[in-house]
Amino acid sequence: MLPEPAPIRELDGRAPGVLGDALLSSTEPVVLRGLASSWPMVARSRASQGEAGAYLRRFYRGEQVLAFLGAPEMAGRYFYNADLSGFNYAAIKAPLDKVLEELEDHRDDTHPPSVYVGSTMIDHYLPGFRTENDLDLGARQPLVSIWIGNRSRIAAHYDVPDNIAVVAAGRRRFTLFPPEQVSNLYIGPLDFTPAGQAISLVDFAKPDLQRFPRFAQAMASARAAELGPGDAIFIPSMWWHHIEALEPFNVLVNYWWRQSPPHMDSPAATLMLALLTLRELPPAQRRAWQELLRHYVFDSDGSEAAHIPPAARGVLAPLDAESARGLRMQLLKRLNR
């Protein structure tokens, strides 16, 4: 029997100043009860699915969105096919109002088809929505997306940005794992993924502990919470999170931002480059490069280049937008040899 996840720490999301820098730069997840309870979208969703859909249509200007459709048999689990050569759903372009109609048509079905609109930029597709429904994150300039669908199960994955996810309609269950649990989550392919991020291959609804025995260790470190309309959760960068939408109609609004400067590339590029250049070296050489990376990257505090005159430090000097462009050009030349 799997261990039960520990509860995620909770705060009153309606408390003044709750979205301060201490929380928004934290490395621990936090549930923010009632953070968006005053949103008109939340009020409409509490009234009915029809009112919530009508409210969303107010802002929609007709451009097609990317929707994911699956047969009832997939039970909302957006995943690979049996041999991981493709996926168990189809991706189509469709008008958002038609997607909302489809969700309404199947609201009372016992086994409805799976319908999902994921990570759709609000400012582009629903202009004006944030005028009435928004969070104040200070000087941060987040990417704000909306997710709409019926019951779904999104496999555990990580995001590089920090994230506040707001439940605007329905209910969602979040199960989180700290970054060090990666080896116990049995991650799938890095370069062929459902939505850009590598995912856990474990089916949380019926985990196969013979195939994935260390998943029990991951669950011993897991934290979980169920959120309703107006509740939100802060998910720190790199925390693995599995998300279940539990109602026939669910809407999530999420805010992504990075604490790193904009000229920095995604660290995922480093991982892929390391697979190309380091993984298949002899063990002694891998250990030598591990020490170099520790010295120049993971334990960097400026002292590693203090003995070099400032004008001669090159890539060891702090990066800015111009020097990042230069370093990127060097890398491209090396890769294109």
Side-chain angles (χ1 to χ4, degrees):
M1 189 171 180
L2 289 173
E4 284 293 319
I8 298 172
R9 182 171 72 98
E10 297 192 5
L11 294 175
D12 182 354
R14 294 162 295 189
V18 68
L19 293 181
D21 287 342
L23 186 146
L24 297 177
S25 60
S26 175
T27 57
E28 293 287 324
V30 180
V31 168
L32 299 160
R33 293 289 179 192
L35 179 68
S37 57
S38 64
W39 283 12
M41 177 66 207
V42 170
R44 301 301 195 282
S45 73
R46 286 176 173 155
S48 71
Q49 177 176 343
E51 285 202 28
Y55 184 73
L56 288 171
R57 289 183 178 96
R58 272 184 46 199
F59 304 99
Y60 182 53
R61 297 296 179 264
E63 186 171 348
Q64 292 188 330
V65 298
L66 183 63
F68 304 104
L69 306 178
E73 292 73 27
M74 68 180 273
R77 188 188 185 212
Y78 292 86
F79 196 66
Y80 293 99
N81 60 12
D83 63 1
L84 275 66
S85 62
F87 305 111
N88 66 349
Y89 57 87
I92 66 166
K93 286 279 194 170
L96 180 60
D97 49 5
K98 297 299 183 184
V99 175
L100 293 170
E101 285 180 17
E102 183 79 2
L103 290 168
E104 291 165 2
D105 289 345
H106 293 284
R107 176 176 53 199
D108 299 322
D109 291 7
T110 304
H111 300 291
S114 293
V115 181
Y116 186 61
V117 173
S119 194
T120 298
M121 291 184 294
I122 285 180
D123 291 341
H124 182 80
Y125 290 93
L126 298 172
F129 179 90
R130 288 178 63 197
T131 303
E132 300 181 10
N133 310 267
D134 206 7
L135 301 180
D136 182 2
L137 302 183
R140 294 165 182 81
Q141 297 181 331
L143 176 67
V144 186
S145 298
I146 194 167
W147 313 66
I148 304 168
N150 52 9
R151 290 183 178 90
S152 61
R153 292 187 285 143
I154 306 304
H157 62 283
Y158 73 86
D159 294 310
V160 173
D162 293 294
N163 178 11
I164 286 184
V166 178
V167 175
R171 291 182 301 119
R172 268 180 162 83
R173 180 172 175 81
F174 293 79
T175 306
L176 274 57
F177 303 85
E180 59 267 23
Q181 289 301 314
V182 57
S183 62
N184 296 328
L185 288 171
Y186 297 92
I187 307 306
L190 298 182
D191 51 348
F192 181 60
T193 68
Q197 297 288 22
I199 64 172
S200 170
L201 298 185
V202 180
D203 184 348
F204 280 39
K206 46 181 188 297
D208 183 348
L209 294 183
Q210 289 191 326
R211 183 181 176 192
F212 307 121
R214 294 192 310 276
F215 182 63
Q217 298 177 45
M219 288 301 293
S221 296
R223 306 182 200 178
E226 187 174 307
L227 277 61
D231 294 335
I233 183 171
F234 169 72
I235 303 174
S237 170
M238 304 304 293
W239 275 66
W240 296 86
H241 45 287
H242 178 275
I243 306 175
E244 299 172 79
L246 304 172
E247 299 287 348
F249 180 68
N250 302 273
V251 177
L252 185 82
V253 175
N254 84 292
Y255 296 72
W256 277 315
W257 70 94
R258 292 183 63 181
Q259 296 186 46
S260 53
H263 60 259
M264 282 185 63
D265 288 344
S266 170
T270 303
L271 175 60
M272 302 302 280
L273 193 57
L275 294 174
L276 177 67
T277 61
L278 297 177
R279 181 180 57 179
E280 296 183 18
L281 290 175
Q285 292 184 32
R286 285 208 307 271
R287 288 192 294 272
W289 279 102
Q290 181 179 19
E291 183 61 20
L292 281 170
L293 287 168
R294 182 201 62 76
H295 179 69
Y296 284 112
V297 178
F298 295 109
D299 288 351
S300 172
D301 60 4
S303 63
E304 67 274 9
H307 56 286
I308 303 173
R313 289 176 185 170
V315 297
L316 294 178
L319 287 176
D320 55 23
E322 182 178 356
S323 57
R325 281 194 297 271
L327 180 54
R328 199 172 291 113
M329 291 299 298
Q330 290 185 44
L331 288 171
L332 289 172
K333 287 179 181 178
R334 288 175 179 268
L335 290 171
N336 288 328
R337 283 177 182 172

